Coordinates of all heavy atoms in Angstrom, one line a residue:
G1 N 5.7 8.1 10.9 CA 4.2 7.9 11.1 C 3.5 9.1 10.8 O 2.3 9.0 10.4
A2 N 4.0 10.4 10.9 CA 3.2 11.6 10.7 C 2.6 11.6 9.3 O 1.5 11.9 9.1 CB 4.1 12.9 10.9
D3 N 3.4 11.4 8.3 CA 2.9 11.4 6.9 C 1.9 10.3 6.7 O 0.8 10.5 6.0 CB 4.1 11.2 5.9 CG 5.0 12.4 5.8 OD1 4.5 13.5 6.2 OD2 6.1 12.3 5.3
L4 N 2.1 9.1 7.2 CA 1.1 8.0 7.0 C -0.2 8.3 7.8 O -1.3 8.1 7.3 CB 1.7 6.7 7.5 CG 2.9 6.2 6.6 CD1 3.5 5.0 7.4 CD2 2.4 5.7 5.3
Q5 N 0.0 8.9 9.0 CA -1.2 9.2 9.8 C -2.0 10.4 9.2 O -3.2 10.4 9.4 CB -0.8 9.5 11.2 CG -0.2 8.3 12.0 CD 0.5 8.7 13.2 OE1 0.3 9.8 13.8 NE2 1.3 7.8 13.7
D6 N -1.3 11.3 8.5 CA -1.9 12.4 7.8 C -2.8 11.8 6.6 O -3.9 12.3 6.4 CB -0.9 13.4 7.3 CG -1.6 14.6 6.6 OD1 -2.4 15.2 7.3 OD2 -1.3 14.8 5.4
A7 N -2.2 10.8 5.9 CA -2.9 10.2 4.8 C -4.0 9.3 5.3 O -5.1 9.2 4.6 CB -1.9 9.5 3.9
F8 N -3.8 8.6 6.4 CA -4.8 7.6 6.9 C -4.9 7.9 8.4 O -4.3 7.2 9.2 CB -4.3 6.2 6.6 CG -3.9 6.0 5.2 CD1 -2.6 6.0 4.8 CD2 -4.9 5.6 4.3 CE1 -2.2 5.7 3.5 CE2 -4.5 5.4 3.0 CZ -3.2 5.4 2.6
P9 N -5.8 8.8 8.8 CA -5.9 9.1 10.2 C -6.3 8.0 11.1 O -5.9 7.9 12.2 CB -7.0 10.3 10.2 CG -7.0 10.8 8.8 CD -6.6 9.7 7.9
E10 N -7.2 7.1 10.5 CA -7.6 6.0 11.4 C -6.8 4.8 11.1 O -6.6 4.3 10.0 CB -9.1 5.6 11.0 CG -10.1 6.8 11.3 CD -10.2 7.1 12.7 OE1 -10.0 6.2 13.6 OE2 -10.4 8.3 13.1
R11 N -6.3 4.2 12.3 CA -5.4 3.0 12.1 C -6.1 1.8 11.4 O -5.5 1.2 10.5 CB -5.0 2.5 13.5 CG -4.1 1.3 13.5 CD -2.8 1.7 12.8 NE -1.9 0.6 12.8 CZ -0.8 0.4 13.5 NH1 -0.6 1.3 14.4 NH2 0.0 -0.6 13.4
A12 N -7.4 1.7 11.6 CA -8.1 0.5 11.0 C -8.2 0.8 9.4 O -8.1 -0.2 8.7 CB -9.5 0.5 11.6
D13 N -8.4 2.0 9.0 CA -8.4 2.3 7.6 C -7.0 2.1 7.0 O -6.9 1.6 5.9 CB -8.9 3.7 7.3 CG -9.0 4.0 5.9 OD1 -9.6 3.3 5.1 OD2 -8.4 5.1 5.4
F14 N -6.0 2.5 7.7 CA -4.6 2.3 7.2 C -4.4 0.8 7.0 O -3.9 0.4 6.0 CB -3.6 2.8 8.2 CG -2.2 2.5 7.9 CD1 -1.6 3.1 6.8 CD2 -1.5 1.6 8.6 CE1 -0.2 2.8 6.6 CE2 -0.2 1.3 8.3 CZ 0.4 1.9 7.2
S15 N -4.7 -0.1 8.0 CA -4.4 -1.5 7.8 C -5.3 -2.0 6.7 O -4.8 -2.9 6.0 CB -4.9 -2.2 9.1 OG -4.1 -1.7 10.2
R16 N -6.4 -1.5 6.4 CA -7.2 -2.0 5.3 C -6.6 -1.6 4.0 O -6.7 -2.3 3.0 CB -8.6 -1.3 5.4 CG -9.7 -1.8 4.5 CD -11.1 -1.3 4.8 NE -11.1 0.1 4.6 CZ -11.5 0.7 3.5 NH1 -11.9 0.0 2.5 NH2 -11.6 2.0 3.3
Q17 N -5.9 -0.5 3.9 CA -5.3 0.0 2.7 C -3.9 -0.7 2.4 O -3.5 -0.6 1.3 CB -5.1 1.4 2.7 CG -6.4 2.2 2.8 CD -7.2 2.1 1.5 OE1 -6.7 1.8 0.4 NE2 -8.5 2.3 1.6
V18 N -3.3 -1.3 3.4 CA -1.9 -1.7 3.3 C -1.8 -2.8 2.1 O -0.8 -2.6 1.3 CB -1.4 -2.3 4.6 CG1 -0.2 -3.2 4.4 CG2 -1.0 -1.2 5.6
P19 N -2.6 -3.8 2.0 CA -2.4 -4.7 0.9 C -2.4 -4.0 -0.5 O -1.6 -4.3 -1.4 CB -3.6 -5.7 1.0 CG -3.9 -5.7 2.5 CD -3.7 -4.2 2.9
R20 N -3.3 -3.0 -0.6 CA -3.3 -2.2 -1.9 C -2.1 -1.4 -2.0 O -1.5 -1.4 -3.2 CB -4.5 -1.3 -1.9 CG -4.6 -0.4 -3.1 CD -5.8 0.6 -3.0 NE -5.6 1.6 -1.9 CZ -4.8 2.6 -2.1 NH1 -4.1 2.9 -3.3 NH2 -4.7 3.5 -1.1
L21 N -1.6 -0.8 -1.0 CA -0.4 0.0 -1.1 C 0.8 -0.8 -1.5 O 1.6 -0.4 -2.2 CB -0.2 0.7 0.3 CG -1.2 1.8 0.7 CD1 -0.9 2.3 2.1 CD2 -1.2 3.0 -0.3
I22 N 0.9 -2.0 -1.0 CA 2.0 -2.9 -1.2 C 2.0 -3.2 -2.8 O 3.1 -3.1 -3.4 CB 2.0 -4.2 -0.4 CG1 2.2 -3.8 1.1 CG2 3.0 -5.2 -0.9 CD1 2.0 -5.0 2.0
L23 N 0.9 -3.6 -3.3 CA 0.8 -4.0 -4.7 C 1.0 -2.8 -5.6 O 1.7 -2.9 -6.7 CB -0.5 -4.7 -5.0 CG -0.4 -6.2 -5.0 CD1 0.0 -6.7 -3.5 CD2 -1.8 -6.8 -5.3
E24 N 0.5 -1.6 -5.2 CA 0.6 -0.5 -6.1 C 1.9 0.3 -6.0 O 2.2 1.1 -6.9 CB -0.6 0.5 -5.9 CG -1.9 -0.2 -6.3 CD -3.1 0.8 -6.2 OE1 -2.9 2.0 -5.7 OE2 -4.2 0.4 -6.5
N25 N 2.6 0.1 -4.9 CA 3.8 0.9 -4.7 C 5.1 0.2 -4.6 O 6.2 0.7 -5.1 CB 3.7 1.7 -3.4 CG 2.7 2.8 -3.4 OD1 2.8 3.8 -4.1 ND2 1.5 2.6 -2.8
N26 N 5.1 -1.1 -4.1 CA 6.4 -1.7 -3.7 C 6.9 -2.8 -4.6 O 8.1 -2.9 -4.8 CB 6.2 -2.2 -2.3 CG 5.8 -1.2 -1.2 OD1 4.7 -1.3 -0.7 ND2 6.6 -0.3 -1.0
L27 N 6.0 -3.6 -5.1 CA 6.4 -4.9 -5.7 C 6.5 -4.7 -7.2 O 5.4 -4.4 -7.9 CB 5.5 -6.0 -5.3 CG 5.4 -6.3 -3.8 CD1 4.5 -7.4 -3.5 CD2 6.8 -6.6 -3.2
H28 N 7.6 -5.1 -7.9 CA 7.8 -5.0 -9.3 C 8.4 -6.3 -9.8 O 9.2 -6.9 -9.1 CB 8.7 -3.8 -9.7 CG 8.2 -2.5 -9.3 ND1 8.1 -2.1 -7.9 CD2 7.6 -1.5 -9.9 CE1 7.6 -0.9 -7.8 NE2 7.4 -0.5 -9.1
G29 N 7.9 -6.7 -11.0 CA 8.5 -8.0 -11.6 C 8.5 -7.9 -13.1 O 7.7 -7.3 -13.7
I30 N 9.5 -8.6 -13.6 CA 9.6 -8.7 -15.1 C 9.8 -10.2 -15.4 O 10.5 -10.9 -14.7 CB 10.8 -7.9 -15.6 CG1 10.8 -6.4 -15.1 CG2 11.0 -8.0 -17.1 CD1 12.1 -5.7 -15.4
D31 N 9.2 -10.6 -16.5 CA 9.5 -12.0 -17.0 C 9.3 -12.0 -18.5 O 8.5 -11.2 -19.1 CB 8.6 -13.0 -16.3 CG 9.3 -14.4 -16.3 OD1 10.0 -14.6 -15.4 OD2 9.0 -15.1 -17.2
I32 N 9.9 -13.0 -19.1 CA 9.8 -13.2 -20.6 C 8.6 -14.1 -20.9 O 8.3 -14.2 -22.1 CB 11.1 -13.7 -21.2 CG1 11.5 -15.1 -20.7 CG2 12.3 -12.7 -21.0 CD1 12.6 -15.8 -21.4
D33 N 8.1 -14.8 -19.9 CA 7.0 -15.7 -20.1 C 5.7 -15.0 -19.8 O 5.4 -14.8 -18.7 CB 7.2 -16.9 -19.2 CG 6.2 -18.0 -19.5 OD1 5.2 -17.8 -20.1 OD2 6.4 -19.2 -19.1
P34 N 4.8 -14.8 -20.8 CA 3.5 -14.1 -20.5 C 2.7 -14.8 -19.5 O 2.1 -14.2 -18.7 CB 2.9 -14.0 -21.9 CG 4.0 -14.1 -22.9 CD 5.0 -15.1 -22.2

């Protein structure tokens, strides 16, 4: 929690950023069909 709380001191702001963080950091996909 310390690193996350340092980056996002307010819990409400952290929750607001989570969807963006998930798409920009966690999820990756490859496909041959454009």
Side-chain angles (χ1 to χ4, degrees):
D3 288 342
L4 292 170
Q5 292 166 20
D6 183 59
F8 308 98
E10 299 296 328
R11 181 63 183 256
D13 181 52
F14 173 72
S15 298
R16 189 170 67 92
Q17 296 292 337
V18 164
R20 176 186 68 82
L21 292 173
I22 292 174
L23 265 59
E24 293 187 357
N25 292 285
N26 304 113
L27 302 179
H28 300 72
I30 305 170
D31 206 86
I32 63 173
D33 185 342

